[in-house]
């Protein structure tokens, strides 16, 4: 579908719609002589060395200029909204925030939540890995950048503003605030599609650089049963109109700062505080700025997709500046490495401050990718500087604007230091791994490591392709690294597997039923209730109201009984489909629609679930206070006897930390803090409590249930809880374990379950005291003494065993028989399998066969090197006579016979076969 995007400003102020002579795309301009759209590769950068904005701006100045312009606009004042975390806790379909609109998807756009302001303005740090291989090379690509934006959500019956006003606001900001030349600005028409939405869009271009994109989101992906008359095709996909029309804009903060400074690259304009110290540390040769400028100008003409592109770029730049490609590579490579390190470490600072823990999965994998790529670049530069030192530079520079960085500094730096150590260990182990793979390839006659294997080395073993290449080339094997290698692996990590839980019954069967009244929320202590049967579906009964809790939020379902016509029927499972609750019963045929039944829940089971669920929230508050704000719930499960809580954490939890966590949690129990729950509109809850609400995962719905433990922990949670912490009873941590890289599991017990654990421990201590015949307080020193004595005794036994083995060999040497020219020793002896093996090895001679069997039936056969027999043959012969099994090498075999009575017969059989 082609959108012809006329606007009020274009018509009233004499803008001309033209077609670009290079790309063929339509664009709007005030310049009647312009023939190109202004977008690379149709136009080169025209601002490098001669800034396109009269005043030079820093990042902070430009951000404030933008936000205050929209916030204080006379006609359209926008609400200023703080940045969202780069880790999007409010959604589970993406790993990182890559654009400002993602802050408001899906809830605000779907209308399930109100926007924090409407219209609003924000500057959102955004992280994208799609261009990671271009970072440092093209002069303009970043993995982290700030997308400044103004958004308007036009709900049905509530119009804010649309295309005309958006274009006018952008033009006003650029020309009146930043004093850009109107005749150099072009609006290029380019429909946009992404994340399931689409709409017409303008790219705003100035002096060869895209400075903003204005998207008018008004379509969503068409369902299979969409009305054909509503369907539009955009970029080959089918879409249908949305009820809400969204103004989705994005202005490049870094690009505008670069435009105002005209530096050779965007990195020089915004990351100088890291770039300059790194240049000094690395002793980088100062090069003619013209080289960097020409490199950026030409790199702007295309993206680096593969080696061919990068080679071509080098050739073109070398030609322009009059040096060889080799000389250009030598001069420019250190700059590219430093630019990439500066960008990657800034992205890391945001990721780790916002709760990403480096690991092998999801966002943690992407953080590790940045860490290892940065370390590799430092190594190529010959720099020994710790990566944490560079991250500390970002924290120092950025914390006046982002104070959360200073708060998290110690944890961020410790995570980086630990990752560096892990990486060094990976490299030590990795060298052998690569050499083994090379040996396999050589056997097959191959002389190049394939791309799939490079990706496996990286994903499974953390070995960067550059390191694999270094090892491989020493072994005479080629490695071709595509220039977009890191984009490829990041793309794989960002693929999300959508797992849909199977519904217990088809939603269609319950969609016309009213919502089940949730008595367990109205009174969590309700043990019995009456209700009416609304429907029976196979083994499931639907009631108009229930006190039975359905499975969800990490809390198991309730069990109990339903009394129908005087008969008690067991309830074995309770589930929720939509807002209808279903009870699985043992005798569904007893239930009829309209019947009144009496429900009774298994209270002992439920109260333990409540203790463990409220206890989980208390424990979470303690974990964050002891371990740090990076700690995030990664899963939980409750039972009656124990509960588990999985958290993100970058190292094992120490014994001292466990003690402190347990102490804090029990102090909150003893303080008997109030536990409140309330239903709040999603946006109000987010603004009041922040995104730590979503510890248990994304919670759907316009209104969400908030559980608040007074001054301790606040979470969105649908479980049943106790009204005060004192009712939890004691909390005891049973153990912790690492379940995967970056995730720790805490197993704990609350209330009666904790008491039972203490009683179990007391019983173990009591029994141990009785066995060792000392009081409990003397157990540690007694156990240590006994252990040391046992170790000494074991050494003595080992010494004596060796003496006995010598005696055994001496004794057996005197029992050699001759069978023709062959010497033979065959005896049943005392000793372990180790003794037999040692004796047989010592007795073995070139012309001798030895068969030794112990009283348990273990046997060893030894055969001399000059004999035409194998020990394995004799092992088979022995077991053919006495049963059992065994085998081994030519010179030595071992096994065990089943019938010890036939041991002598088996030995004679071997002797007879010689």
């Amino acid at each position: 579908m082609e959108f012809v995007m006329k606007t009020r400003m274009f018509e009233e102020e004499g803008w001309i719609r033209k077609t670009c002579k290079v790309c063929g795309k339509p664009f709007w301009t005030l310049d009647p002589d312009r023939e190109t759209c202004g977008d690379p590769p149709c136009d080169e950068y025209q601002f490098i060395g001669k800034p396109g904005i009269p005043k030079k701006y820093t990042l902070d100045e430009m951000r404030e200029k933008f936000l205050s312009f929209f916030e204080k606009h006379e006609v359209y004042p926008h609400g200023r909204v703080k940045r969202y975390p780069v880790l999007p806790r409010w959604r589970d379909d993406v790993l990182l925030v890559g654009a400002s609109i993602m802050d408001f998807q899906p809830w605000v756009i779907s209308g399930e939540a109100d926007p924090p302001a409407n219209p609003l303005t924000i500057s959102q740090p955004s992280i994208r890995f799609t261009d990671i291989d271009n970072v440092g090379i093209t002069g303009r690509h970043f993995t982290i950048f700030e997308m400044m934006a103004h958004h308007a959500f036009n709900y049905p019956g509530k119009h804010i503003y649309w295309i005309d006003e958006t274009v006018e606001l952008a033009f006003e900001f650029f020309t009146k605030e930043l004093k850009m030349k109107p005749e150099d600005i072009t609006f290029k028409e380019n429909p946009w599609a992404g994340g399931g939405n689409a709409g017409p869009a303008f790219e705003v271009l100035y002096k060869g650089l895209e400075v903003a994109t204005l998207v008018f989101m008004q379509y969503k992906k068409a369902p299979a049963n969409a009305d054909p008359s509503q369907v539009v095709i955009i970029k080959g996909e089918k879409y249908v109109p949305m009820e809400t029309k969204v103004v989705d804009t994005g202005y490049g903060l870094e690009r505008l700062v670069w435009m105002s400074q005209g530096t050779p690259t965007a990195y020089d304009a915004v990351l100088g505080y890291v770039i300059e110290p790194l240049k000094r540390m690395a002793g980088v040769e100062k090069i003619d700025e013209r080289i960097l400028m020409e490199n950026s100008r030409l790199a702007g003409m295309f993206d680096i997709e593969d080696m061919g592109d990068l080679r071509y770029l080098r050739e073109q730049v070398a030609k322009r500046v009059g040096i060889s490609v080799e000389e250009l590579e030598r001069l420019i490579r250190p700059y590219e490495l430093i630019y990439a390190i500066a960008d990657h470490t800034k992205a890391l600072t945001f990721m780790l401050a916002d709760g990403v823990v480096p690991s092998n999965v999801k966002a943690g994998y992407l953080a590790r990718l940045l860490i290892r790529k940065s370390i590799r670049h430092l190594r190529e530069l010959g720099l020994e500087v710790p990566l944490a030192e560079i991250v500390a530079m970002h924290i120092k520079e950025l914390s006046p604007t982002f104070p959360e960085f200073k708060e998290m500094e110690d944890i961020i730096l410790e995570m980086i230091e630990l990752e560096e150590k892990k990486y060094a260990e990976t490299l030590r182990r990795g060298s052998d791994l690569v050499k083994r793979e090379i040996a396999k390839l050589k056997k097959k006659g191959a002389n190049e490591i394939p791309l799939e294997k490079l990706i496996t080395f990286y994903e499974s073993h953390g070995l960067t392709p550059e390191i694999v290449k270094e090892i491989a080339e020493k072994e005479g094997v080629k490695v071709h690294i595509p220039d977009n290698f890191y984009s490829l692996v990041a793309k794989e990590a960002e693929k999300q597997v959508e797992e849909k839980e199977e519904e217990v019954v088809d939603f269609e069967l319950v969609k016309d039923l009213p919502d089940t009244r949730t008595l367990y929320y109205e009174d969590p202590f309700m043990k019995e209730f009456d209700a009416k049967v609304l429907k029976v579906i196979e083994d499931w009964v639907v009631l108009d109201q229930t006190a039975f809790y359905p499975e969800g939020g990490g809390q198991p379902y309730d069990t109990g009984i339903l009394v129908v016509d005087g008969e008690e029927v067991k309830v074995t499972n309770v589930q929720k489909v939509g807002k209808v609750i279903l009870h699985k019963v043992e005798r569904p045929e007893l239930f009829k629609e309209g019947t009144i039944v009496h429900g009774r829940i298994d209270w002992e089971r439920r109260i333990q679930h409540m203790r463990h669920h409220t206890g989980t929230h208390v424990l979470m508050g303690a974990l964050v206070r002891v371990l740090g704000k990076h700690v995030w719930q990664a899963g939980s499960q409750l039972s009656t006897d124990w509960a588990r809580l999985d958290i993100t954490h970058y190292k094992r939890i120490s014994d001292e930390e466990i003690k402190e966590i347990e102490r804090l949690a029990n102090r909150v129990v003893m303080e008997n803090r109030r536990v409140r729950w309330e239903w709040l509109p999603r946006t109000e809850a987010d603004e009041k409590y922040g995104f730590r609400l979503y510890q248990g995962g994304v919670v759907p719905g316009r209104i969400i249930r908030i559980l608040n433990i007074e001054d301790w922990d606040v979470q969105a949670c649908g479980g049943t809880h106790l009204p005060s912490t004192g009712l939890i009873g004691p909390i005891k941590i049973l153990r912790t374990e690492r379940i995967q890289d970056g995730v720790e599991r805490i197993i704990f017990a609350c209330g009666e379950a904790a008491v039972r654990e203490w009683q179990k421990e007391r019983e173990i201590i009591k029994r141990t005291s009785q066995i060792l015949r000392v009081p409990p307080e003397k157990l540690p020193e007694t156990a240590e003494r006994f252990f040391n004595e046992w170790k000494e005794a074991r050494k003595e036994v080992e010494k004596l065993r060796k003496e006995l083995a010598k005696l055994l060999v001496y004794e057996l040497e005197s029992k050699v028989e001759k069978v023709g020219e062959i010497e033979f020793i065959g005896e049943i002896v005392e000793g372990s399998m180790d003794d037999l093996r040692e004796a047989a090895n010592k007795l073995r001679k070139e012309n001798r066969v030895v068969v030794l069997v112990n009283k348990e039936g273990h046997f060893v056969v030894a055969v001399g090197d000059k004999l035409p027999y194998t020990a394995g043959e004799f092992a088979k012969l022995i077991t053919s006579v006495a049963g059992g099994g065994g085998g081994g090498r030519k010179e030595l075999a071992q096994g065990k016979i089943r019938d010890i009575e036939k041991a002598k017969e088996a030995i004679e059989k071997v002797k007879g076969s010689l």
Side-chain angles (χ1 to χ4, degrees):
M1 177 178 186
E2 191 189 338
F3 299 97
V4 177
M5 296 175 65
K6 286 183 180 174
T7 76
R8 185 170 59 202
M9 181 181 87
F10 294 164
E11 288 185 337
E12 289 176 3
E13 297 183 20
W15 287 73
I16 310 156
R17 188 174 191 257
K18 293 191 163 199
T19 300
C20 177
K21 71 172 185 183
V22 179
C23 68
K25 293 270 176 72
F27 67 95
W28 293 85
T29 177
L30 284 168
D31 180 358
D33 299 325
R34 177 179 271 280
E35 296 182 318
T36 50
C37 62
D39 198 5
C42 310
D43 286 83
E44 280 190 20
Y45 299 153
Q46 294 140 35
F47 60 91
I48 293 178
K50 34 186 184 189
I53 294 170
K55 178 181 180 263
K56 280 190 181 179
Y57 287 86
T58 63
L59 275 179
D60 287 346
E61 288 165 350
M62 183 63 80
R63 185 191 302 111
E64 186 50 42
K65 186 83 170 167
F66 178 89
L67 294 173
S68 56
F69 167 76
F70 284 95
E71 187 181 27
K72 294 169 183 169
H73 196 272
E74 283 180 19
V75 186
Y76 297 105
H78 292 60
R80 186 189 290 216
V81 175
K82 279 186 185 168
R83 81 164 182 107
Y84 280 41
V86 295
L87 192 59
R89 303 290 189 183
W90 57 95
R91 54 192 298 185
D92 54 13
D93 57 333
V94 289
L95 295 183
L96 295 163
V97 172
S100 59
I101 197 64
M102 289 169 115
D103 298 346
F104 312 107
Q105 289 170 317
W107 313 109
V108 172
I109 287 174
S110 69
E112 279 193 79
D114 295 324
N118 198 8
L120 63 83
T121 186
I122 188 170
S123 187
Q124 176 59 41
S126 304
I127 297 179
R128 291 184 189 174
F129 280 75
T130 43
D131 293 315
I132 189 170
D133 294 295
N134 291 342
V135 174
I137 295 172
T138 62
R140 76 176 188 278
H141 282 106
F142 292 88
T143 48
I144 184 156
F145 59 95
E146 277 186 63
M147 186 179 282
M148 303 189 297
H150 53 105
H151 295 298
F153 303 93
N154 297 288
Y155 296 111
K158 191 182 177 185
H159 182 79
I160 306 296
Y161 63 74
W162 194 228
I163 299 175
D164 287 342
E165 298 84 351
T166 304
V167 168
E168 286 162 15
L169 284 165
F171 190 68
E172 187 183 340
F173 173 67
F174 286 136
T175 56
K176 291 190 178 160
E177 295 294 314
L178 298 185
K179 306 288 188 280
M180 287 182 179
K181 292 180 179 171
E183 64 277 13
D184 287 342
I185 296 173
T186 55
F187 287 83
K188 181 179 180 179
E189 295 177 20
N190 192 7
W192 172 90
N197 296 114
F202 282 121
E203 288 169 7
V204 188
L205 302 146
Y206 183 65
K207 293 188 177 290
L209 185 69
E210 185 183 340
V211 287
T213 305
L214 315 176
V215 175
F216 305 99
M217 196 191 287
Q218 55 185 337
Y219 298 103
K220 62 184 177 187
K221 275 267 173 78
N225 59 352
D227 176 352
S229 66
Q230 295 284 299
V231 172
V232 296
I233 309 290
I234 301 170
K235 298 198 170 178
E237 296 277 355
K238 290 180 178 179
Y239 291 89
V240 292
M242 283 163 55
E243 281 194 352
T244 303
K245 290 184 171 184
V246 181
V247 171
D248 171 19
T249 68
Y251 295 65
L253 172 59
E254 288 79 5
R255 290 186 176 201
L256 287 168
V257 171
W258 184 24
M259 178 66 70
S260 81
Q261 294 189 19
T263 50
T265 72
Y267 316 119
D268 298 299
V270 298
L271 291 166
Y273 60 90
V274 167
I275 290 166
E276 291 310 316
L278 282 179
K279 279 189 204 168
R280 283 196 298 277
M281 285 185 232
V284 172
E285 184 182 332
K286 187 162 172 41
I287 62 172
D288 185 344
E289 269 206 346
R290 199 167 61 92
I291 294 174
L292 288 172
M293 287 177 173
E294 290 302 340
N295 193 66
S296 285
R297 274 196 197 104
L298 284 165
M301 305 293 277
F302 54 87
D303 287 350
I304 309 300
E305 289 298 332
D306 57 35
M307 276 289 197
D309 284 351
L310 182 54
R311 265 197 304 273
Y312 180 72
L313 170 64
R314 295 274 193 253
E315 285 163 12
Q316 296 306 305
V317 176
K319 204 182 291 177
R320 277 212 190 179
V321 295
I323 57 174
S324 70
V325 172
E326 292 71 27
E327 177 67 359
L328 174 69
E329 174 85 32
R330 187 185 69 76
L331 291 169
I332 210 164
R333 184 65 184 151
Y335 282 80
E336 291 174 344
L337 293 169
I338 287 169
Y339 292 152
I341 293 165
D343 163 83
H344 294 355
T345 47
K346 182 178 178 181
L348 270 172
T349 307
F350 274 90
M351 287 168 81
L352 302 188
D354 285 354
V356 176
V357 171
S359 72
N360 284 334
V361 294
K362 297 187 177 175
Y365 173 88
L366 298 174
R368 183 166 282 168
L369 185 154
L370 288 176
I371 289 168
R372 294 185 170 183
K373 194 166 179 283
S374 300
I375 293 169
R376 175 66 204 170
H377 287 345
L378 284 170
R379 195 172 146 183
E380 196 179 327
L381 280 166
L383 271 179
E384 292 296 316
V385 59
L387 201 62
E389 202 176 297
I390 301 167
V391 172
M393 293 179 196
H394 287 292
I395 293 171
K396 186 182 176 188
E397 177 76 15
L398 300 170
S399 50
T401 308
F402 305 103
E404 58 273 27
F405 292 177
K406 201 72 191 158
E407 282 173 44
M408 293 280 288
E409 183 168 21
D410 292 347
I411 286 164
I412 292 170
L413 300 183
E414 191 181 353
M415 276 196 258
I416 301 272
E417 283 159 8
L418 273 174
E419 279 296 306
E420 285 207 78
K421 282 178 192 158
K422 279 184 192 172
Y423 188 41
E425 184 54 40
T426 297
L427 297 185
R428 274 195 292 276
R429 289 196 316 269
S431 183
D432 294 339
L433 200 74
V434 177
K435 283 175 184 170
R436 282 200 297 275
E437 185 58 36
I438 287 166
K440 279 186 210 166
L441 284 170
K442 283 182 174 174
K443 268 186 190 172
K444 291 176 188 169
N447 71 338
E448 184 171 342
I449 294 178
L451 176 61
E452 312 82 75
K453 191 50 72 175
L454 283 183
I455 290 172
T456 304
F457 277 137
Y458 186 79
E459 291 186 333
S460 304
H461 308 288
L463 293 166
T464 64
E466 295 86 356
I467 281 157
V468 175
K469 185 175 184 176
E470 206 174 282
I471 300 163
E473 285 179 348
K474 283 177 191 164
E475 304 285 321
V477 170
K478 282 188 258 170
V479 173
H480 167 71
I481 307 169
D483 279 8
N484 63 341
F485 177 84
Y486 291 99
S487 307
L488 288 173
V489 294
K491 227 172 264 177
E492 281 306 303
E494 286 172 328
K495 278 182 188 168
Q496 292 293 290
V497 180
E498 222 177 280
E499 287 180 27
K500 278 203 169 180
E501 285 182 27
E502 270 188 50
E503 291 180 338
V504 291
V505 300
D506 188 347
F507 177 72
E508 290 297 312
L509 296 173
V510 298
K511 70 171 187 179
D512 296 326
L513 293 174
D515 299 353
T516 309
R517 185 175 168 192
T518 50
L519 301 172
Y520 51 80
Y521 282 151
E522 292 174 26
D523 178 5
F525 284 87
M526 185 183 285
K527 301 177 182 72
E528 300 189 30
F529 66 98
D530 291 321
K532 185 163 78 173
V533 177
L534 296 183
K535 195 168 185 178
V536 182
I537 306 163
E538 296 165 356
D539 297 343
W540 300 88
V541 174
V542 180
L543 306 174
D544 64 340
Q545 58 180 15
T546 186
F548 281 91
Y549 182 80
E551 185 171 25
Q555 182 171 325
Y557 52 78
D558 285 335
T559 58
I561 59 165
L562 287 175
V563 182
V564 54
D565 295 332
E567 297 259 9
E568 290 191 352
V569 180
K570 277 188 181 173
V571 174
T572 59
N573 195 340
V574 186
Q575 297 290 332
K576 202 172 187 183
V577 176
K579 292 189 176 179
V580 174
I581 295 169
L582 298 104
H583 308 72
K584 192 171 195 178
V585 293
E586 286 192 342
R587 294 164 67 196
E589 69 279 0
L590 295 177
F591 294 83
K592 301 286 179 283
E593 285 182 25
T595 308
I596 300 296
V597 296
H598 183 72
R600 202 157 55 233
I601 68 172
D602 177 346
W603 183 247
E604 283 309 304
R605 175 182 160 92
R606 159 71 85 76
I607 190 68
Q608 249 333 96
H609 288 166
M610 287 164 75
R611 285 178 185 135
H612 277 136
H613 208 158
T614 309
T616 299
H617 289 237
V618 168
L619 193 62
M620 193 68 207
L623 285 158
V624 170
R625 283 161 178 81
V626 174
L627 303 178
K629 286 184 180 173
H630 65 286
V631 167
W632 201 271
Q633 189 173 315
S636 70
Q637 189 59 53
L638 318 171
S639 77
T640 49
D641 297 326
W642 54 268
R644 68 166 169 78
L645 177 58
D646 300 339
I647 58 159
T648 54
H649 189 46
Y650 54 93
K651 60 179 180 177
R652 296 307 319 271
I653 305 172
S654 71
D655 290 342
E656 282 309 306
E657 286 167 334
I658 288 168
K659 276 187 205 166
E660 182 60 10
I661 291 159
E662 206 173 54
R663 187 187 70 78
L664 274 184
N666 281 291
R667 194 176 75 188
V668 169
V669 167
M670 290 182 284
E671 286 168 354
N672 198 24
R673 296 192 187 205
R674 191 174 159 212
V675 180
R676 292 183 297 111
W677 42 86
E678 59 182 327
W679 294 88
L680 285 177
R682 176 181 293 280
T683 307
E684 191 183 325
D686 291 351
E687 285 175 354
K688 193 172 178 182
Y689 299 116
F691 296 111
R692 288 204 79 89
L693 278 180
Y694 303 114
Q695 286 289 340
V698 177
V699 181
R702 186 178 180 81
I703 308 288
I704 56 178
R705 185 170 182 263
I706 307 298
L707 186 93
N708 189 343
I709 298 175
E710 187 185 342
D711 299 329
W712 191 252
D713 183 75
V714 184
Q715 288 186 41
C717 182
T720 56
H721 288 275
L722 301 162
S724 62
T725 58
L727 294 170
I728 297 168
I731 296 175
K732 177 175 172 52
I733 294 174
L734 308 180
R735 67 183 185 278
T736 68
E737 53 197 47
R738 171 140 284 195
I739 59 161
Q740 70 177 57
D741 201 18
V743 178
E744 290 288 306
R745 173 166 288 172
I746 297 108
I747 313 285
F748 65 100
C750 299
E752 283 185 24
V755 172
R756 282 195 295 274
E757 288 294 334
W758 270 306
Q759 288 171 336
K760 205 190 292 178
E761 279 182 9
R762 191 168 60 204
E763 187 56 34
I764 291 165
I765 291 168
K766 185 181 167 189
R767 280 171 54 211
T768 311
S769 293
Q770 287 166 347
I771 292 163
L772 296 176
R773 298 193 178 117
V774 292
E777 62 272 16
K778 294 235 170 130
L779 278 177
E781 61 195 74
T782 307
E784 189 176 18
R785 192 179 80 240
F786 279 12
F787 180 69
N788 289 334
E789 285 172 5
W790 171 80
K791 268 201 309 191
E792 288 305 313
R794 197 173 165 194
K795 279 181 197 166
E796 195 59 36
V797 167
E798 187 59 27
K799 205 162 100 185
L800 289 169
R801 197 181 67 72
K802 283 183 176 164
E803 290 301 318
L804 282 169
K806 278 183 200 167
L807 284 170
L808 179 63
V809 169
Y810 179 74
E811 188 189 333
L812 290 169
E813 279 283 10
S814 66
K815 295 188 176 180
V816 175
E817 299 176 58
K818 279 273 197 177
V819 182
E821 294 300 308
I822 300 169
E823 291 185 353
F824 178 73
I825 298 173
E827 288 291 326
I828 296 168
V829 297
E830 299 282 345
S832 66
M833 177 63 104
D834 285 344
D835 297 335
L836 265 62
R837 237 189 336 260
E838 196 172 328
N841 270 318
K842 283 184 175 164
L843 290 164
R844 194 173 80 87
K845 286 186 180 170
E846 289 179 344
N847 203 33
R848 183 182 285 177
V849 173
V850 181
V851 179
L852 303 178
V853 186
N854 71 9
K855 299 284 170 56
E856 286 80 44
H858 296 109
F859 69 83
V860 173
V861 182
V863 175
D865 295 337
K866 285 196 171 174
L867 297 175
Y869 309 108
T870 69
E873 292 170 28
F874 292 137
K876 280 180 189 161
L877 197 58
I878 290 165
T879 56
S880 72
V881 174
R889 306 188 305 276
K890 178 190 183 301
E891 67 276 10
L892 196 76
Q894 64 186 49
K896 187 173 183 184
I897 58 175
R898 198 163 36 242
D899 188 350
I900 194 71
E901 300 293 325
K902 291 190 174 177
K904 198 77 186 155
E905 188 187 329
I907 291 170
E908 287 302 316
K909 186 86 172 172
V910 173
K911 183 179 166 186
S913 72
L914 296 173

